[in-house]
């Protein structure tokens, strides 16, 4: 990030910090915070049980699902869903363990079917409406689907701006991905990408991007999103947003939802509590404009109380539950999985405010992202993501709604990292000097 982008990012962060000051001291917020801390700890401690409960609830709600052990498997599952809508039932083997509901033979058949279907589409490009999701960023789904000739349209304004930017378009905040760009930079990006001449005025930019997105997704039958939390007992997916774009995505003929297994909680009430606290810390507002709950495909019973499917919303809802190192994190440093995705830690992080999004891993920004990268990828990735850039000051914990001890997680990962040979060269020199001379110098 350059200095101009860092300044814009700091100004955005200051706006959020100032806006939420009073609401964080509200006794109701403190009470909600205590509740969510207990919800998250219980959810991680009982994750395996919640997976089993969710599996049964999804089946009852007519939601198809699959479990992906890693990012590659998740991408393959999504690709197969897109190409085999109508003939692919993930839930058919839902009584088995949640590991994979598709055997190797069916996968090969699906790939074969996919190729033949693709050949018969008269080269019409598949358009996919996508909403903001760190989990989708984790598996690099946009890049993957683009490589398959599909047009993935970001429906969130900030993500769409970064998509139009093209290069150097890593987000800087989980709920404000374009926080590092000022209005002039954004208008320049939009004008260049769309061959327009709109003024550097926020409303004009918003209206131009909105019209373009709506025109593009008018051709889409598939929507893909993450979810803020998943209620296992109810088999319900909870989404929070201000723009209304997730509502559009969820109304597509097929709605694919990708969640990390750490997003599972017990009930809708638990999920809503998390959504409310995330909103407070992320934006300084008590609630968002929209809280959507999806508990199955569209249906109605308004004619003689007879159930009919496929009214206005999705005909199919597919949930992909992603592990991708989370099981390992639960067994070693489960603190990494308590996160509710508000981004409060990076708003107050001294390192992040100096160097920006190079401190972190993919869409997981700051120290928590560095810690997660060890489990999503490996020790080398964690080292390269900024493992030794963290000052261990603990400000992230102090400002975290669920009090994640990120500095302690970083220290634990550093111990493992240096054993595997990943540490700053200067540190190695100090260590060797201490061994030889009894002094680091």
């Amino acid at each position: 990030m350059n200095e101009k982008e860092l300044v814009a990012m700091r100004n955005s962060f200051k706006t959020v910090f100032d806006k939420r000051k009073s609401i964080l001291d509200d006794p109701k917020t403190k009470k909600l915070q205590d509740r969510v801390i207990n919800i998250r700890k219980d959810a991680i401690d009982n994750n395996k049980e919640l997976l089993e409960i969710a599996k049964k609830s999804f089946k009852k709600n007519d939601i198809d699902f699959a479990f992906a052990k890693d990012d590659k498997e998740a991408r393959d599952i999504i690709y197969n869903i897109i190409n085999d809508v109508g003939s692919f039932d993930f839930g058919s083997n839902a009584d088995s363990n949640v590991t994979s509901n598709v055997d190797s033979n069916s996968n090969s058949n699906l790939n074969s079917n996919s190729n033949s279907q693709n050949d018969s589409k008269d080269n019409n490009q598949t358009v996919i409406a996508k909403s903001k999701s760190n989990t989708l960023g984790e598996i690099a789904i946009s890049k993957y689907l683009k490589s398959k000739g599909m047009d993935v349209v970001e429906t969130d304004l900030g993500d769409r701006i970064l998509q139009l930017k093209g290069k150097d378009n890593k987000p800087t905040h989980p709920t404000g991905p374009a926080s590092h760009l000022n209005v002039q930079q954004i208008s320049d990006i939009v004008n260049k990408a769309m061959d327009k001449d709109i003024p550097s005025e926020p409303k004009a930019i918003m209206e131009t991007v909105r019209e373009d997105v709506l025109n593009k997704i008018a051709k889409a039958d598939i929507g893909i999103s993450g979810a803020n939390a998943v209620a296992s007992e109810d088999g319900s997916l909870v989404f929070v947003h201000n723009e209304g774009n997730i509502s559009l995505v969820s109304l597509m003929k097929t709605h694919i939802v990708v969640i990390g297994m750490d997003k599972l909680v017990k009930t809708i009430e638990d999920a809503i509590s998390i959504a409310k606290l995330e909103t407070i810390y992320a934006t300084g507002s008590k609630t968002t404009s929209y809280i959507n709950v999806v508990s199955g495909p569209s249906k109605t019973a308004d004619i003689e109380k007879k159930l009919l499917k496929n009214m206005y919303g999705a005909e199919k809802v597919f949930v992909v539950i992603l592990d991708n190192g989370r099981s390992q994190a639960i067994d070693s440093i489960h603190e990494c999985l308590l996160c509710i995705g508000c981004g409060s830690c990076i708003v107050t992080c001294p390192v992040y405010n100096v160097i920006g999004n190079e401190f972190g891993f993919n869409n997981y920004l700051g120290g928590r992202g560095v810690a997660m990268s060890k489990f999503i990828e490996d020790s080398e990735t964690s080292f390269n993501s900024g493992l030794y850039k963290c000052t261990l000051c603990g400000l992230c914990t102090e400002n975290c709604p669920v009090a994640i001890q990120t500095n302690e997680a970083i220290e634990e990962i550093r111990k493992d990292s240096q054993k595997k040979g990943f540490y700053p060269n200067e540190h190695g020199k100090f260590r060797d000097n201490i061994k030889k001379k009894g002094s680091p110098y």
Side-chain angles (χ1 to χ4, degrees), residues 20-276:
R20 71 184 190 185
K21 274 182 181 178
S22 59
I23 195 171
L24 292 187
D25 292 329
D26 188 323
K28 291 181 180 178
T29 300
K30 297 292 185 184
K31 186 176 180 180
L32 177 63
Q33 185 177 0
D34 290 340
R35 171 172 164 74
V36 171
I37 288 172
N38 290 329
I39 289 170
R40 292 302 300 137
K41 287 182 177 178
D42 179 73
I44 298 304
D45 289 343
N46 297 286
N47 190 258
K48 290 181 180 179
E49 291 83 353
L50 291 177
L51 274 172
E52 293 301 316
I53 294 168
K55 176 176 60 173
K56 295 174 183 176
S57 299
F58 286 150
K59 184 179 180 183
K60 182 179 179 181
N61 290 351
D62 199 23
I63 293 176
D64 296 305
F65 63 90
F67 188 91
K69 66 178 183 296
D70 57 28
D71 56 339
K72 181 184 183 303
E73 190 164 275
R75 289 191 295 269
D76 289 344
I77 289 168
I78 292 166
Y79 183 66
N80 286 332
I81 293 171
I82 292 170
N83 283 309
D84 295 271
V85 169
S87 63
F88 191 21
D89 183 10
F90 276 130
S92 61
N93 293 323
D95 289 331
S96 62
N97 291 329
V98 183
T99 51
S100 176
N101 292 302
V102 187
D103 62 31
S104 58
N105 290 329
S106 62
N107 262 326
S108 62
N109 290 333
L110 285 167
N111 288 329
S112 175
N113 291 337
S114 300
N115 291 332
S116 61
Q117 287 181 20
N118 280 341
D119 291 339
S120 65
K121 288 183 179 179
D122 299 324
N123 296 319
N124 288 333
Q125 189 176 36
T126 301
V127 179
I128 298 168
K130 176 182 171 292
S131 74
K132 182 166 52 199
S133 165
N134 289 330
T135 312
L136 292 175
E138 174 185 337
I139 65 172
I141 193 61
S142 295
K143 182 178 179 181
Y144 173 79
L145 293 179
K146 185 178 179 181
S147 75
K148 298 293 185 181
M150 301 180 193
D151 184 13
V152 181
V153 181
E154 298 286 354
T155 59
D156 174 83
L157 178 58
D159 277 341
R160 182 59 176 167
I161 290 166
L162 293 182
Q163 187 176 37
L164 294 174
K165 188 173 186 283
K167 297 179 180 179
D168 300 321
N169 59 355
K170 184 177 178 180
T172 52
H173 189 277
T175 64
S179 297
H180 59 299
L181 301 173
N182 62 37
V183 67
Q184 183 61 58
Q185 289 172 302
I186 293 171
S187 65
D188 290 343
I189 290 166
V190 173
N191 284 332
K192 182 179 179 181
M194 298 187 189
D195 194 23
K196 300 278 188 179
D197 188 23
I198 58 172
S200 55
E201 195 273 318
K203 188 175 181 181
I205 294 170
M206 180 196 75
E207 290 175 346
T208 300
V209 175
R210 179 183 64 200
E211 182 182 6
D212 178 66
V213 167
L214 289 175
N215 285 338
K216 288 184 178 298
I217 67 172
K219 304 173 185 176
D221 286 327
I222 296 165
I224 184 166
S225 73
N228 294 79
V230 181
S232 295
E233 291 181 2
D234 304 286
S236 300
L237 308 151
V238 174
F239 313 84
V240 294
H241 52 119
N242 280 313
E243 297 178 12
N245 61 309
I246 293 180
S247 299
L248 295 174
V249 169
S250 68
L251 291 174
M252 297 294 161
K253 185 176 180 181
T254 301
H255 184 197
I256 303 169
V257 186
V258 183
I259 60 162
M261 54 193 275
D262 53 306
K263 292 290 186 182
L264 296 168
V265 295
K266 283 185 179 178
T267 65
I268 286 181
E269 290 80 4
D270 290 344
I272 297 295
S273 293
I274 290 171
K276 288 179 67 176

